[in-house]
Amino acid sequence: MGILEIKQLYKRFGHHEVLKGLDMDVPEHSIFGFVGQNGAGKTTTMKIILGLLKADSGSVTVCGEKVTYGETKTNRNIGFVPDVPEFYGYMNPMEYLKLCGEITGLPKNKIKSRSEELLELVGLKDEKRKIGQFSRGMKQRLGIAQALLNEPKLLICDEPTSALDPIGRKEILDILLAAKGKTTIVFSTHILSDVERICDHIAVLHDGKLALCGTLSEIKKRHRHNGFILEFENEKDAFLFENAEELKQPSISLSRDGTTVRVFLTDRNMDGHFLLSVLSQKRLVPLKFEVMEPTLETLFVEVVR
Amino acid sequence: MRGYLVFLKKEIFEYTKTYKLLIMLVVFAIFGITNPLIAKLLPEILESLATDGVIITLPDPTAYDAWEQFFKNATQMGLIVTVIIFSGVLSSELSKGTLINLLTKGLSRTAVILSKYTCMVLVWTASIALCFGLTYGYTVYLFPKDETSNLLFSVFCLWLFGLFLLAVLIFSATLTKSNYGCLLITFVAVVACMIMDIIPAMHRYNPISLATDNMGLIMNSIEVSSLYSAILISCLLSLIFVSLSVTIFRRKQL
């Protein structure tokens, strides 16, 4: 059983149906990349998980407990980092974390020690300025600190890196990686390189449902094209291979770029052995023979197209 | 209850840090000081402005003039400043998104509305008390021989009308997304009370009588008991508006 389970979730705004029977299961202690185009429904899903929006139908359970709209009981197990965290500008980070700790119901001494620990984790320990004077990256880091304050079992991050520069992004990803193991992280984004960097599970939301779901290696294996890259020592060998009679079949497509030949086998009965046999017959030895791995980007484009 | 107290503390901290409390206290302190002074000096000022051949004869000022200034300022500029200061009580938090973080931490929506209303009531109470205290002190000093009737009851009525207005304000804040919407609904509610006041039979039940009959009470031309119905109705309506605010806010999709 996952720490977060979503079953047949439907949500409509006017005539626009955003979620059309979404099913999702987030395993414990994973970093779960929740990917989708802008407007795909990622934020809507997260707000329903947090009890801030009412689903038209379906169910959401966090740690086995059903989420009820308007009630915030399940949120004691959740930390939330919004895409643009907004705080009270007249407070300093310590004052804000104290407020959050008091609302959560943490003991006073724990609030102080935990706040200091988290401000150190996010690099704001010595920051005495008011939050109103913070940069966006600093606010985002404080957003993670406040979300981790009650040691949540589930940390929900809604596009935390989308508006940051590369350094800010790296800082946030490093903090999330450091939090892995202590909490399960649902990381919503449309920046696929961020997902590939830190996530071990991925779900692609498209047309109100999950179009892809699993570990990155599972997904790649499942959607692996029967494609190969061969690199030859010179263009002559590459040309000879490209024009081999055995490869002139409708189920085989080839493309050559200098000394590199890309081969796609659409016939499922064909595999690398067939190409190796052709190479052997032609007495050609490639410098490189590689199975073509789909990237997350190509998979994403493929499912949302 | 914990959420209510923590959020109330945050609200008080916010009013202090954003100078809203200071502005309210300064405005009402200015009224408090100037009410008796204007009453005392107005005849002399008018006399000094008189041109050749024009004789302005005004009766000697009394404590009633000072209290007339008090109730005029408090019910006009005082309430306008109060409503403007508090008009963004909910909309600013909702538009910025500052409330989302705290709601996801287990803060109940009921606690949000109740602590916001409580804080507004506290600020209003402190402001009107300061204004009353200063006016009272100066009036006793400038007009020591004059005595007034039902003064505390009259100020209580004004204070209660403020509570009613703040209940309307928090209710309108849950209905709209902007400060202007909130101001508009509150303004419409006050105008509705004024229109109802045209009907004489309605006057004794109308909350606005708590802010219009004050001088009559002091001068003993209006009986205290004639305002009991308005007090009861204002209390009931305030309770209804705050309860409705809680209900609406609990159902609001954020």
Side-chain angles (χ1 to χ4, degrees):
Chain A
M1 196 177 82
I3 192 164
L4 167 67
E5 289 184 334
I6 297 175
K7 285 194 171 65
Q8 285 298 299
L9 199 64
Y10 284 85
K11 177 68 186 170
R12 174 190 289 275
F13 292 105
H15 294 294
H16 180 48
E17 195 167 30
V18 180
L19 300 176
K20 302 172 185 172
L22 174 68
D23 289 302
M24 196 164 95
D25 197 339
V26 177
E28 204 165 357
H29 297 301
S30 59
I31 301 190
F32 192 90
F34 191 37
V35 186
Q37 290 169 293
N38 288 331
K42 302 188 293 292
T43 302
T44 302
T45 307
M46 291 185 167
K47 284 192 168 181
I48 292 172
I49 296 168
L50 291 160
L52 297 171
L53 271 182
K54 191 177 185 181
D56 295 338
S57 63
S59 72
V60 179
T61 54
V62 175
C63 301
E65 204 177 333
K66 198 172 175 191
V67 174
T68 315
Y69 163 69
E71 295 292 329
T72 48
K73 282 178 189 166
T74 44
N75 285 355
R76 69 180 185 278
N77 295 313
I78 304 176
F80 176 56
V81 186
D83 52 349
V84 186
E86 285 297 342
F87 309 101
Y88 300 109
Y90 52 84
M91 288 184 181
N92 64 37
M94 201 59 173
E95 285 168 341
Y96 189 75
L97 291 187
K98 191 176 167 227
L99 171 69
C100 293
E102 284 175 350
I103 285 172
T104 314
L106 292 175
K108 271 187 181 175
N109 54 345
K110 179 109 193 245
I111 293 174
K112 192 169 185 298
S113 60
R114 186 91 182 118
S115 300
E116 284 170 354
E117 186 188 321
L118 286 167
L119 287 176
E120 186 160 10
L121 174 77
V122 300
L124 294 172
K125 197 185 176 187
D126 301 317
E127 197 52 70
K128 301 283 180 241
R129 278 184 294 169
K130 302 286 177 208
I131 303 170
Q133 296 167 22
F134 276 19
S135 68
R136 194 153 186 180
M138 289 166 86
K139 281 185 183 172
Q140 204 67 267
R141 283 186 275 147
L142 180 60
I144 294 179
Q146 62 81 23
L148 291 171
L149 191 67
N150 59 334
E151 295 173 323
K153 289 179 183 161
L154 178 65
L155 179 68
I156 295 179
C157 307
D158 187 8
E159 303 193 9
T161 55
S162 59
L164 300 179
D165 59 32
I167 294 168
R169 264 174 59 203
K170 186 183 177 303
E171 284 171 350
I172 297 297
L173 296 178
D174 288 346
I175 293 167
L176 292 179
L177 272 175
K180 190 189 175 184
K182 295 172 196 159
T183 181
T184 305
I185 301 170
V186 174
F187 176 64
S188 142
T189 187
H190 54 258
I191 304 170
L192 300 173
S193 57
D194 288 354
V195 175
E196 281 191 291
R197 199 175 143 209
I198 68 163
C199 297
D200 40 37
H201 284 72
I202 293 161
V204 177
L205 181 65
H206 178 62
D207 197 25
K209 289 178 182 174
L210 286 194
L212 278 179
C213 192
T215 63
L216 186 56
S217 55
E218 272 172 12
I219 290 174
K220 282 187 174 177
K221 198 173 165 186
R222 216 182 302 147
H223 291 80
R224 185 176 284 154
H225 296 287
N226 216 1
F228 299 86
I229 301 171
L230 291 88
E231 198 173 316
F232 293 91
E233 197 174 356
N234 50 53
E235 283 197 32
K236 188 187 154 200
D237 286 357
F239 179 80
L240 274 174
F241 180 75
E242 186 191 10
N243 290 289
E245 279 303 315
E246 294 85 342
L247 298 177
K248 292 197 178 347
Q249 296 182 38
S251 59
I252 300 173
S253 67
L254 290 113
S255 66
R256 185 170 68 86
D257 180 14
T259 57
T260 304
V261 181
R262 284 186 170 78
V263 188
F264 292 94
L265 308 174
T266 50
D267 184 348
R268 285 280 165 195
N269 296 319
M270 284 184 180
D271 58 13
H273 291 102
F274 170 71
L275 296 180
L276 288 170
S277 69
V278 174
L279 286 167
S280 173
Q281 281 169 31
K282 298 286 172 194
R283 302 187 67 77
L284 292 168
V285 179
L287 292 177
K288 197 166 86 178
F289 184 95
E290 192 180 282
V291 178
M292 217 185 281
E293 278 285 340
T295 63
L296 187 56
E297 193 177 334
T298 55
L299 288 174
F300 180 76
V301 171
E302 202 172 289
V303 294
V304 302
R305 200 161 44 200
Chain B
M1 190 65 182
R2 185 191 65 234
Y4 166 76
L5 291 174
V6 172
F7 202 69
L8 177 61
K9 205 167 82 179
K10 172 252 149 191
E11 283 291 297
I12 295 169
F13 186 64
E14 182 169 309
Y15 280 108
T16 315
K17 286 279 179 180
T18 55
Y19 305 111
K20 284 180 181 170
L21 177 64
L22 184 70
I23 293 168
M24 282 286 285
L25 292 178
V26 167
V27 168
F28 278 85
I30 291 169
F31 291 154
I33 293 165
T34 54
N35 290 331
L37 277 178
I38 289 174
K40 180 81 178 171
L41 300 174
L42 193 64
E44 289 174 33
I45 294 168
L46 288 176
E47 274 175 31
S48 69
L49 291 174
T51 49
D52 289 340
V54 179
I55 301 163
I56 299 174
T57 312
L58 288 168
D60 287 339
T62 63
Y64 292 115
D65 297 310
W67 288 114
E68 193 167 8
Q69 283 293 326
F70 169 83
F71 286 111
K72 204 164 74 182
N73 281 331
T75 54
Q76 291 172 15
M77 279 308 289
L79 282 174
I80 289 171
V81 170
T82 306
V83 168
I84 290 172
I85 290 271
F86 293 132
S87 61
V89 64
L90 205 55
S91 60
S92 61
E93 292 239 36
L94 292 177
S95 61
K96 282 184 200 163
T98 45
L99 212 48
I100 301 287
N101 268 355
L102 304 183
L103 290 175
T104 61
K105 298 221 163 296
L107 178 68
S108 81
R109 297 185 186 209
T110 306
V112 171
I113 295 294
L114 293 183
S115 48
K116 279 191 177 288
Y117 182 65
T118 309
C119 190
M120 290 195 295
V121 168
L122 288 177
V123 174
W124 162 246
T125 306
S127 307
I128 203 76
L130 179 68
C131 186
F132 171 73
L134 288 168
T135 304
Y136 184 80
Y138 268 99
T139 306
V140 169
Y141 175 71
L142 295 172
F143 312 102
K145 289 175 188 169
D146 295 344
E147 282 187 9
T148 47
S149 308
N150 308 317
L151 182 60
L152 279 177
F153 180 74
S154 185
V155 176
F156 163 77
C157 288
L158 171 63
W159 173 78
L160 193 62
F161 181 73
L163 260 58
F164 164 74
L165 207 61
L166 292 175
V168 174
L169 189 92
I170 193 99
F171 170 69
S172 55
T174 57
L175 293 179
T176 61
K177 286 180 179 172
S178 72
N179 297 15
Y180 302 114
C182 180
L183 281 173
L184 183 71
I185 294 174
T186 310
F187 176 73
V188 167
V190 173
V191 170
C193 285
M194 285 173 165
I195 292 169
M196 274 195 293
D197 216 36
I198 296 169
I199 308 162
M202 292 294 287
H203 182 75
R204 62 180 300 160
Y205 306 104
N206 195 338
I208 209 159
S209 60
L210 300 177
T212 53
D213 289 357
N214 313 84
M215 281 311 291
L217 283 168
I218 287 178
M219 298 169 89
N220 251 338
S221 60
I222 294 175
E223 292 221 358
V224 169
S225 60
S226 69
L227 282 158
Y228 288 168
S229 304
I231 288 173
L232 188 69
I233 284 173
S234 299
C235 289
L236 275 175
L237 284 176
S238 301
L239 200 68
I240 290 168
F241 280 127
V242 174
S243 305
L244 280 174
S245 310
V246 170
T247 310
I248 292 167
F249 192 57
R250 279 170 67 110
R251 289 179 186 172
K252 206 174 182 98
Q253 305 218 42
L254 301 174

